[in-house]
């Protein structure tokens, strides 16, 4: 997707602070962190949102959650962390390339904040 911000980040056309990368996904620090640790994990395939997950592309989602568990262990996020995917404008999605926010380092409230 030529005009997609996160596709450009994957290609290195826009700089980012890399946390992890493999052949299926890329993880980088959020530019506007909402917790002491806040990074995004994105598939290397352009999937617009959680509403566009299908049997054909869900392998990316499964893989991303394996990566999140691995990174959480490596980064000592053992007190807890939150994984969020905003889907659609009313849910607060602002970049339409599927991404999972991984946040840690503070207490979180539920359902908001
Ligand atoms: P959303 O609002 O779609 O759930 O999440 C998009 C996230 O991308 C936001 O938390 C925002 O701070 C982050 N973001 C937007 N543009 C950039 C950028 O150019 N670089 C990085 N590292 N994060 C970005
Ligand atoms: Zn994209």
């Amino acid at each position: 997707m030529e005009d997609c911000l996160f596709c450009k980040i994957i290609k290195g056309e826009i700089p980012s602070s890399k946390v992890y990368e493999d052949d299926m996904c890329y993880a980088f620090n959020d530019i506007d962190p909402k917790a002491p640790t806040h990074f995004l994990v994105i598939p290397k395939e352009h999937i617009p949102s959680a509403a566009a997950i299908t049997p054909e592309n869900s392998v990316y989602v499964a893989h991303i959650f394996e990566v999140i568990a691995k990174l959480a262990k490596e980064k000592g996020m053992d007190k807890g962390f939150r994984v969020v995917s905003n889907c659609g404008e009313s849910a607060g999605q602002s970049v339409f390339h599927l991404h999972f926010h991984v946040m840690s380092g503070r207490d979180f409230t539920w359902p908001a904040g």
Side-chain angles (χ1 to χ4, degrees), residues 39-54:
F39 58 88
L40 305 172
V41 191
I42 64 177
K44 285 195 170 174
E45 177 172 304
H46 180 87
I47 301 169
S49 76
I53 296 167
T54 64

Side-chain angles (χ1 to χ4, degrees), residues 27-103:
F28 57 107
N29 288 311
D30 197 294
I31 206 166
D32 181 19
K34 301 294 190 288
T37 298
H38 183 177
F39 58 88
L40 305 172
V41 191
I42 64 177
K44 285 195 170 174
E45 177 172 304
H46 180 87
I47 301 169
S49 76
I53 296 167
T54 64
E56 288 71 39
N57 64 27
S58 63
V59 64
Y60 284 93
V61 179
H63 179 73
I64 282 172
F65 273 82
E66 287 178 34
V67 166
I68 289 171
K70 177 176 125 79
L71 293 176
K73 211 168 279 173
E74 282 175 12
K75 292 177 177 298
M77 291 157 53
D78 31 278
K79 253 191 104 189
F81 59 92
R82 180 166 286 183
V83 182
V84 171
S85 187
N86 297 318
C87 178
E89 270 170 42
S90 74
Q93 185 176 7
S94 60
V95 179
F96 286 81
H97 179 127
L98 178 65
H99 51 283
F100 295 92
H101 297 258
V102 180
M103 292 169 283

Side-chain angles (χ1 to χ4, degrees), residues 1 3-8 10 43 45-47 96-98:
M1 281 287 285
D3 283 336
C4 172
L5 175 69
F6 286 176
C7 282
K8 286 181 180 166
I10 289 166
E45 177 172 304
H46 180 87
I47 301 169
F96 286 81
H97 179 127
L98 178 65

